[in-house]
Amino acid sequence: MVKKILSYCYIYIILLFLYLPVLYLMVYSFTAAELAGQWQGFSLQLYADLFTNKEIMVALGNTLILAAISSLVSTVVGTLGAIGVYYCKKGFRTLIENVNQIPVVNAEIVLAMSLTVMFVFLGQNFFGGSSLFSFWTLLAGHCVLATPFVYLNVKPKLQQMDPALYEAAMDLGCSPTKALHKVVVPQIMPGILSGLLLSFTLSLDDFIVTAFTRGPGLLSGQAQIETLSTLVQAKIKKGAVPPEMRALTTIIFLIVLAIVVIYSIKVNAKNKDGLGKHAKRRATK
């Protein structure tokens, strides 16, 4: 009994440390004070100011566009790579899987520096000394960062799948592309979706790769691309973070919380339906 109480207390303390800073920002998003910790009465002024703050809106737009495109590209590349490697010979499959682990376990600063050196080298030697840094280099950096994680999410679903399904579809007259679309992809869809969400999240809050590989483009026009992470870092250098960021943090947290709750409800309902159907089958037998 004592051990159980201590384990619950440990979990609740960890959750408190994780979510207390977020709750702190959420509480002070409902006051118009410039600094968090100063309460000047309940107000929704920060939420009104958030949507009129052009600098934050541009950074938010850049962040969402970049995250959406890079997550889609990473998901397609990582999924196709996982499928291709899965059907390769064991030796080659082992080699690719080991290579895929390098960006995952490596420090992100090493990846960012490597990409920077590569883009500078290509610009100086193959593009007449011009700078290549733009939205496309930033997109490439985020795809390199996220694709290995998509691969790792799809791989277990492929291992759980019956390998005879693909061959059976081929024997029944499906072309390789149709068999992939009709048989393999539905079987590994949970892994694809989790890889998509993970790559979107990685892109959303990335700072190091963004800071090293960004250039002009997107909603920033001819100016250097600003995302939420780089904007916050730039503001911290000059002083305090804009108070409107507290409102934005609250909105993002509530949206993510709603998605998690809705997904959990759907999964629980699906599991209950599955158990109910299974019980009915057993009863009829």
Side-chain angles (χ1 to χ4, degrees):
M1 184 66 180
V2 175
K3 186 177 180 180
K4 186 176 182 180
I5 294 174
L6 291 175
S7 63
Y8 276 113
C9 289
Y10 175 77
I11 292 172
Y12 290 139
I13 290 172
I14 295 298
L15 291 175
L16 180 65
F17 275 106
L18 285 174
Y19 289 104
L20 187 60
V22 178
L23 294 175
Y24 180 82
L25 287 178
M26 290 176 65
V27 169
Y28 284 98
S29 70
F30 295 103
T31 185
E34 288 291 322
L35 298 175
Q38 298 177 355
W39 186 263
Q40 296 181 355
F42 180 83
S43 172
L44 297 175
Q45 186 62 43
L46 292 183
Y47 291 88
D49 294 341
L50 171 65
F51 295 100
T52 58
N53 189 316
K54 184 178 179 181
E55 195 174 30
I56 294 179
M57 288 294 101
V58 167
L60 176 62
N62 288 338
T63 303
L64 293 176
I65 293 171
L66 177 64
I69 297 175
S70 65
S71 61
L72 289 174
V73 174
S74 300
T75 302
V76 172
V77 174
T79 302
L80 293 178
I83 294 172
V85 172
Y86 178 73
Y87 287 103
C88 287
K89 293 182 179 180
K90 185 177 179 180
F92 182 75
R93 183 168 65 246
T94 303
L95 174 63
I96 296 299
E97 288 177 354
N98 290 333
V99 171
N100 183 76
Q101 294 287 348
I102 296 175
V104 176
V105 300
N106 210 352
E108 194 173 341
I109 185 66
V110 175
L111 174 63
M113 284 293 296
S114 302
L115 289 169
T116 303
V117 171
M118 183 186 72
F119 292 139
V120 171
F121 173 81
L122 292 175
Q124 290 180 349
N125 292 278
F126 296 96
F127 293 90
S130 60
S131 175
L132 294 183
F133 291 99
S134 63
F135 164 72
W136 299 108
T137 57
L138 180 56
L139 176 62
H142 279 234
C143 290
V144 170
L145 175 67
T147 299
F149 292 93
V150 176
Y151 178 94
L152 292 176
N153 276 272
V154 175
K155 175 187 169 184
K157 295 301 178 182
L158 286 167
Q159 293 174 334
Q160 294 171 10
M161 183 185 69
D162 186 354
L165 290 175
Y166 180 77
E167 297 175 3
M170 295 281 288
D171 292 339
L172 292 172
C174 285
S175 64
T177 303
K178 191 173 183 179
L180 178 67
H181 176 68
K182 294 290 185 179
V183 177
V184 177
V185 172
Q187 292 289 323
I188 63 174
M189 185 55 69
I192 295 174
L193 292 178
S194 61
L196 175 66
L197 293 176
L198 180 58
S199 59
F200 185 86
T201 304
L202 287 171
S203 175
L204 201 66
D205 65 356
D206 177 75
F207 170 73
I208 298 177
V209 172
T210 302
F212 276 78
T213 60
R214 61 179 175 154
L218 287 180
L219 301 181
S220 300
Q222 297 301 316
Q224 200 171 43
I225 295 173
E226 286 285 2
T227 62
L228 290 175
S229 59
T230 58
L231 177 63
V232 169
Q233 192 268 347
K235 293 297 182 182
I236 290 175
K237 281 184 176 180
K238 299 177 182 178
V241 177
E244 294 86 356
M245 292 298 297
R246 303 201 297 268
L248 180 60
T249 301
T250 302
I251 293 173
I252 293 174
F253 179 80
L254 293 177
I255 290 174
V256 172
L257 180 63
I259 292 173
V260 171
V261 170
I262 293 172
Y263 178 76
S264 299
I265 292 173
K266 287 186 175 181
V267 169
N268 290 333
K270 186 177 180 181
N271 290 336
K272 287 181 180 179
D273 291 340
L275 291 174
K277 292 178 180 178
H278 182 67
K280 287 181 181 179
R281 291 196 197 100
R282 293 188 64 181
T284 54
K285 291 179 180 179

